[in-house]
Amino acid sequence: MTLKQLQYIVTVADIGNITEAAKRLYIAQPSLTSSIHELEKEYGITIFKRGNKGVELTPEGDEFLGYARQVIEQANLIDERYTGKNIGKQRFCVSAQHYSFAVEAFVELLKECGGDRYEFHMRETQTYDIIDDVAHLRSDIGILYLNSFNETVIRKTLRDNSLSFTSLFKAKPHVFIGKTNPLAKKKKLSLEDLKPYPRLSYEQGSHNSFYFSEEILSTVDCDKELVVCDRASLFNMLIGLNGYTICSGVISEELNGPNIIAKPLDVDDYMEIGYILPGTIHPSQLTLNYIEILKKLV
């Protein structure tokens, strides 16, 4: 294995076409194909599936790509440290449940460390995908929560994927509602108070198990259910339909505006929100910086 071969893999994966990747890399297509075959043979894996429309990563190829990106990034850092040359773009990716503080920290990191060239990704996504992204090194860090209901299942899933969980803070359950919601005048809300109103939750795709739900108390029966995929839709429905969602209560008015408010929910439960990292790879400096910003914000 060579760094050049790893760069070939990354380029082909990004473009999805051997011919176009060869042009980008300024090498002949047969040479590129041969180099990939040599690497596949060396490790006894199939990295790409080849078809009429191009190439796609296999599941084992997807895993290999994550390690390839890490090796290339570390090699670039060595070059920058000892040659003084700026090698390529800075790259960083976060996968998180829909927390405004995670986005706020991402913005602060970009302001502090982005530099002249960067490619940063902020993925607000489904719980299982967060775990999968970090496990396969598509994301540098993931952010999710544990509580008494989901902890056993989530921790087992993390162990199975060689991931660690570090707590940032514990929050008592709150309810996000619109400022004009009839419940806005109450200091504290009960589950009985919420019954007449639509409950909003985030879609969890094929892993739509209660244990992977982003909202606690997801097993409590509710007559009116609204399921969305993004935070903007959820907030619009909170306001327009007098809906609610159960959450940590942490929200950034600067990023999300003044029309969503948080009210304490009178239940005996908690949300322990933290970050997950690969257990076998030392976090990058950008990841460490992001964690420090998270700690300051929360």
Side-chain angles (χ1 to χ4, degrees):
M1 179 192 73
T2 66
L3 281 174
K4 186 171 286 187
Q5 284 177 309
L6 297 182
Q7 187 61 62
Y8 290 169
I9 296 297
V10 170
T11 304
V12 172
D14 288 344
I15 295 175
N17 184 283
I18 292 280
T19 302
E20 293 303 316
K23 290 178 182 177
R24 176 82 62 86
L25 293 163
Y26 301 103
I27 63 172
Q29 181 180 330
S31 298
L32 177 58
T33 302
S34 175
S35 182
I36 292 171
H37 282 316
E38 287 175 10
L39 196 57
E40 290 177 321
K41 185 177 179 181
E42 180 179 351
Y43 290 108
I45 61 174
T46 301
I47 298 174
F48 294 108
K49 292 184 296 184
R50 294 155 181 85
N52 294 331
K53 295 184 178 180
V55 294
E56 293 181 0
L57 286 163
T58 65
E60 57 189 355
D62 188 41
E63 181 180 15
F64 186 86
L65 178 66
Y67 287 108
R69 291 191 190 280
Q70 289 286 327
V71 172
I72 291 169
E73 181 181 338
Q74 294 300 316
N76 286 342
L77 288 174
I78 292 172
D79 281 344
E80 289 179 16
R81 172 67 178 84
Y82 292 104
T83 68
K85 295 177 182 177
N86 187 5
I87 310 295
K89 294 179 180 178
Q90 289 199 97
R91 287 179 169 82
F92 181 70
C93 184
V94 179
S95 288
Q97 291 175 330
H98 297 75
Y99 300 130
S100 60
F101 71 85
V103 178
E104 192 173 356
F106 184 85
V107 171
E108 289 302 314
L109 178 72
L110 188 51
K111 288 178 179 177
E112 291 180 13
C113 306
D116 295 327
R117 301 186 68 206
Y118 56 80
E119 182 181 319
F120 279 30
H121 297 247
M122 179 73 222
R123 299 191 66 216
E124 288 189 327
T125 189
Q126 298 164 358
T127 303
Y128 188 86
D129 288 344
I130 295 168
I131 296 170
D132 195 58
D133 282 347
V134 180
H136 290 95
L137 307 179
R138 289 188 292 269
S139 290
D140 299 271
I141 186 172
I143 300 172
L144 46 71
Y145 85 93
L146 304 178
N147 75 339
S148 57
F149 176 73
N150 74 3
E151 183 169 7
T152 300
V153 171
I154 296 294
R155 283 197 183 276
K156 181 182 185 305
T157 307
L158 295 177
R159 284 196 305 272
D160 290 346
N161 286 278
S162 301
L163 302 176
S164 65
F165 174 87
T166 303
S167 178
L168 285 167
F169 66 97
K170 259 188 181 180
K172 296 294 289 180
H174 283 68
V175 180
F176 279 163
I177 56 175
K179 214 171 186 178
T180 58
N181 189 298
L183 298 175
K185 296 177 182 178
K186 287 180 167 281
K187 289 186 177 179
K188 185 182 288 189
L189 302 178
S190 68
L191 292 175
E192 191 67 28
D193 291 329
L194 299 175
K195 275 189 175 180
Y197 300 94
R199 179 172 69 187
L200 284 137
S201 60
Y202 287 108
E203 169 68 51
Q204 294 299 325
S206 58
H207 293 88
N208 204 20
S209 157
F210 288 124
Y211 296 108
F212 289 96
S213 173
E214 190 166 330
E215 302 79 25
I216 66 169
L217 303 172
S218 57
T219 56
V220 174
D221 188 48
C222 180
D223 292 333
K224 301 174 182 177
E225 293 274 7
L226 292 168
V227 181
V228 300
C229 292
D230 64 270
R231 189 147 44 105
S233 296
L234 184 137
F235 281 1
N236 286 338
M237 292 184 190
L238 288 183
I239 296 169
L241 299 173
N242 279 335
Y244 72 89
T245 190
I246 299 175
C247 60
S248 67
V250 180
I251 191 170
S252 168
E253 184 172 316
E254 183 179 349
L255 292 180
N256 298 289
N259 295 318
I260 303 294
I261 58 175
K263 294 288 180 177
L265 182 61
D266 190 14
V267 292
D268 184 20
D269 209 334
Y270 66 91
M271 295 178 72
E272 184 173 11
I273 297 175
Y275 58 87
I276 62 173
L277 295 171
T280 56
I281 295 177
H282 190 273
S284 68
Q285 189 57 52
L286 282 175
T287 303
L288 295 174
N289 291 346
Y290 182 70
I291 291 169
E292 287 306 308
I293 295 170
L294 282 173
K295 289 178 179 178
K296 290 176 185 176
L297 286 177
V298 301

